[in-house]
């Protein structure tokens, strides 16, 4: 979750009208305890990243795109059996899709309103983790 700032600067240049990042304490305060728990043992705190593009401000409808960006089993520990971990790299695919869609819609100047939300955490194993 550390590289939020480069995403923000790139998205702002593409007319993303709002960009907000909820930090660990914000997650707890908002009751997003599962996301907070998954990432609480990590070096980088978990975050919820929200971005909005308003290409049709006269319309009330919004398209929501939600994805997760979870790194897994950091520290060399593997809790998953053979046949289950090989495709876990795809746990970041949802976050990548949200960023790509938001960037494409904004760069093309499409006449739609879109809200992108990314749950980002490093799933580290430690005594603080749930």
């Amino acid at each position: 979750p550390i590289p939020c700032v480069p995403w923000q600067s790139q998205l702002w240049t593409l007319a993303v009208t709002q960009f907000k990042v909820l930090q660990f304490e914000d997650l707890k305060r908002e009751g997003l305890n599962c996301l907070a728990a998954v990432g609480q043992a990590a070096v980088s705190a978990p975050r919820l990243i929200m971005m909005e593009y308003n290409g049709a401000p006269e319309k009330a409808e919004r398209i929501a795109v939600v994805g997760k960006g979870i790194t897994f089993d950091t520290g060399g520990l593997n809790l998953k059996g053979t046949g289950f971990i090989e495709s876990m790299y795809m746990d970041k695919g949802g976050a990548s899709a949200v960023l790509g869609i938001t960037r494409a819609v904004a760069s093309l100047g499409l006449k739609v309103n879109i809200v992108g939300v990314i749950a980002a955490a490093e799933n580290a194993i430690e005594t603080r983790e749930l």
Side-chain angles (χ1 to χ4, degrees), residues 40-99:
Q40 71 184 356
V43 173
S44 300
R47 295 178 175 89
L48 187 74
I49 303 161
M50 299 170 287
M51 61 204 91
E52 188 170 338
Y53 166 76
N54 291 310
E58 69 284 353
K59 295 182 181 176
E61 21 181 83
R62 302 262 182 267
I63 299 168
V65 185
V66 180
K68 71 175 181 173
I70 307 293
T71 58
F72 63 95
D73 296 335
T74 59
L77 299 172
N78 180 5
L79 299 179
K80 295 162 184 71
T82 302
F84 294 97
I85 197 166
E86 290 79 7
S87 65
M88 292 299 291
Y89 64 89
M90 297 173 67
D91 272 7
K92 298 178 289 273
S96 300
V98 171
L99 285 171

Side-chain angles (χ1 to χ4, degrees), residues 102-115:
T102 304
R103 183 180 174 114
V105 168
S107 66
L108 292 171
L110 299 182
K111 301 294 182 200
V112 297
N113 301 318
I114 187 167
V115 177

